[in-house]
């Protein structure tokens, strides 16, 4: 499976898939998509890159251990519910804040923070499984 064409195109395809996963993550609150689907696309990009270039190249590319990404995502997802507790509402009730950034109003919502946490959990867990399977296959 490690043909010269696949090894040449895989890094570009993986980068394009990561960008598309971020797009799906960011549009998921108002339209289909979100953290889970975006995370699956990103994990698929890492798997394709791993098949083409090897597990060591993927581990160098993501810098941190994939399960650390999953733990960070779980932490972020848990933090998304804390603002509702501060305002004495039910856990995970939507809270928002509006910021003016260079004259443009940017709305910050807690569901977006939760989607970001789900994104990291899915990327970390699926990438960890895929890398473990690819390491076993190469042994």
């Amino acid at each position: 499976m490690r043909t010269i064409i696949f090894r040449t195109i895989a890094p570009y395809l993986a980068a394009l898939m990561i960008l598309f996963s971020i797009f799906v993550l960011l549009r998921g609150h108002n339209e289909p998509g979100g953290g889970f689907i975006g995370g699956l696309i990103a994990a698929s990009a890492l798997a394709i890159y791993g098949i083409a270039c090897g597990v060591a190249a993927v581990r160098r590319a993501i810098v941190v251990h994939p399960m650390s990404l999953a733990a960070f995502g779980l932490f972020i997802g848990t933090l998304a519910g804390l603002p509702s507790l501060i305002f004495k509402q039910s856990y995970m009730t939507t809270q928002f804040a509006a910021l003016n950034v260079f004259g443009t109003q940017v709305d910050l919502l807690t569901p977006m923070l939760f989607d970001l946490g789900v994104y990291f959990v899915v990327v970390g867990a699926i990438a960890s499984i895929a890398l473990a399977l690819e390491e076993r296959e190469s042994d």
Side-chain angles (χ1 to χ4, degrees):
M1 190 75 174
R2 292 186 181 194
T3 64
I4 188 75
I5 295 171
F6 185 55
R7 278 186 286 150
T8 303
I9 200 73
Y12 300 108
L13 180 63
L16 187 63
M17 288 176 71
I18 294 288
L19 285 175
F20 182 66
S21 76
I22 293 169
F23 169 74
V24 169
L25 167 70
L26 293 177
R27 79 185 273 265
H29 186 64
N30 296 323
E31 295 178 17
F36 187 77
I37 301 301
L40 286 177
I41 294 169
S44 299
L46 293 176
I48 287 173
Y49 188 64
I51 291 169
C53 300
V55 175
V58 175
R59 292 200 186 274
R60 281 191 308 269
I62 60 175
V63 181
V64 298
H65 195 275
M67 288 310 286
S68 297
L69 282 177
F72 178 69
L74 190 59
F75 178 71
I76 296 253
T78 304
L79 282 180
L82 293 181
S84 61
L85 293 178
I86 292 171
F87 295 113
K88 298 185 176 159
Q89 296 175 340
S90 299
Y91 187 70
M92 297 297 278
T93 302
T94 300
Q95 304 295 320
F96 67 93
L99 296 177
N100 283 323
V101 179
F102 301 114
T104 303
Q105 183 176 346
V106 177
D107 294 327
L108 300 176
L109 297 154
T110 55
M112 184 62 214
L113 190 62
F114 180 76
D115 270 349
L116 187 65
V118 170
Y119 179 85
F120 281 122
V121 167
V122 171
V123 169
I126 302 296
S128 179
I129 292 168
L131 290 177
L133 289 174
E134 288 176 20
E135 282 176 343
R136 293 263 181 183
E137 186 177 297
S138 64
D139 288 344

